[in-house]
């Protein structure tokens, strides 16, 4: 039930080591750095059963997300962390799920993840009782944009066909944002436009789709 680190170069190893040193520093800092703290941190079972388990697993998820962005990790690596958390009795937090989405985002950039993966994380998040926040939506929009552009590099032109799953997905996400009272601001709008551009490359989107996004940003 562990997770793999992959074939890391020296820079990736240094970053991963620095991340875990920072994680350990935060645990020591929050517990006062007493003599029992080091023992607690060194005992994986004890950590898994405490609040610090969440810190540890969230940091592990962040490390995997960073490696996914560099092309060294995949969605399965994040899923392995979630399984380990469940086995240890540690409940994922909203931050955990957002970092899992960050991992999907990185994998999607390399064509190793897509909308199916982001929707699976979203279902798990909402089933656990969490409400998506602005960070969640930005991650989802980024995944959609990354997927649209990765697909456009391999899909043949659609010869003028209209309608695209990625564009429809961003439309659905933007509607959900508005219902939640989260504005479609400049960063969100730019991501939606990136999706339209990716779809337009293969003839599955047009100016009207971009104009719709611009109207929402202005309104």
């Amino acid at each position: 039930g562990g997770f793999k680190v992959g074939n890391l170069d020296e820079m990736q190893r240094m970053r991963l080591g620095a991340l875990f040193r920072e994680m350990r520093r935060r645990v020591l800092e929050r517990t006062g750095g007493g003599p029992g703290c080091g023992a607690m941190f060194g005992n994986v079972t004890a950590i898994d059963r405490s609040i610090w388990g969440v810190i540890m697993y969230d940091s592990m998820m962040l490390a995997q997300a960073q490696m996914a962005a560099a092309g060294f990790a995949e969605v399965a690596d994040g899923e392995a962390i979630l399984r380990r958390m469940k086995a240890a009795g540690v409940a994922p937090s909203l931050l955990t799920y957002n970092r899992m989405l960050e991992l999907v985002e990185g994998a999607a950039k390399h064509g190793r993840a897509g909308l199916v993966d982001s929707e699976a994380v979203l279902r798990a998040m909402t089933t656990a009782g969490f409400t998506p926040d602005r960070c969640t939506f930005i991650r989802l929009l980024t995944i959609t944009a990354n997927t649209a552009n990765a697909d456009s590099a391999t899909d043949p032109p659609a010869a003028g066909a209209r309608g695209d799953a990625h564009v429809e997905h961003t439309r659905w996400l933007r509607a959900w944002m508005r219902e939640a009272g989260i504005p479609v601001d400049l960063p969100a709008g730019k991501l939606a436009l990136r999706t339209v551009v990716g779809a337009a490359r293969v003839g599955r989107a047009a100016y009207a789709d971009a104009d719709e996004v611009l109207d929402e940003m202005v309104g």
Side-chain angles (χ1 to χ4, degrees), residues 2-207:
F3 69 104
K4 65 186 177 73
V5 183
N7 298 318
L8 304 182
D9 59 24
E10 188 60 30
M11 181 60 69
Q12 290 290 328
R13 292 181 186 277
M14 290 174 63
R15 288 178 179 173
L16 183 59
L19 180 64
F20 278 94
R21 285 193 296 274
E22 173 64 13
M23 180 183 72
R24 184 177 189 279
R25 184 191 68 76
R26 290 185 184 182
V27 173
L28 292 171
E29 183 181 82
R30 293 193 185 191
T31 56
C37 179
M40 183 192 76
F41 191 86
N43 185 337
V44 174
T45 302
I47 295 175
D48 288 348
R49 294 176 181 173
S50 72
I51 186 61
W52 306 117
V54 179
I55 296 176
M56 181 181 77
Y57 288 117
D58 283 353
S59 297
M60 289 165 64
M61 191 70 81
L62 176 59
Q64 292 290 12
Q66 292 174 341
M67 288 187 288
F72 294 106
E74 301 181 5
V75 174
D77 300 313
E79 292 172 343
I81 294 175
L82 293 176
R83 287 195 300 272
R84 180 169 176 175
M85 292 182 75
K86 182 177 181 179
V90 179
S93 64
L94 178 60
L95 177 60
T96 309
Y97 287 115
N98 280 342
R99 285 184 170 168
M100 179 65 188
L101 286 172
E102 184 178 354
L103 190 158
V104 176
E105 172 188 329
K109 185 172 67 174
H110 298 280
R112 297 178 177 175
L115 300 185
V116 171
D117 301 294
S118 64
E119 289 172 356
V121 178
L122 187 59
R123 280 195 302 273
M125 175 191 294
T126 55
T127 299
F130 294 107
T131 300
D133 60 6
R134 181 181 180 279
C135 180
T136 307
F137 286 112
I138 290 296
R139 294 295 180 201
L140 291 168
L141 287 168
T142 305
I143 292 165
T144 310
N146 287 351
T147 305
N149 284 275
D151 288 351
S152 71
T154 57
D155 288 350
R162 291 297 308 281
D164 180 80
H166 305 97
V167 173
E168 287 300 321
H169 197 69
T170 61
R171 187 173 287 121
W172 172 68
L173 289 172
R174 298 193 318 268
W176 193 356
M177 288 178 71
R178 293 193 300 273
E179 289 175 7
I182 301 173
V184 181
D185 55 10
L186 181 60
K190 289 172 67 175
L191 289 168
L193 288 173
R194 273 188 59 208
T195 300
V196 173
V197 169
R201 287 197 184 105
V202 288
R204 296 198 178 103
Y207 180 79

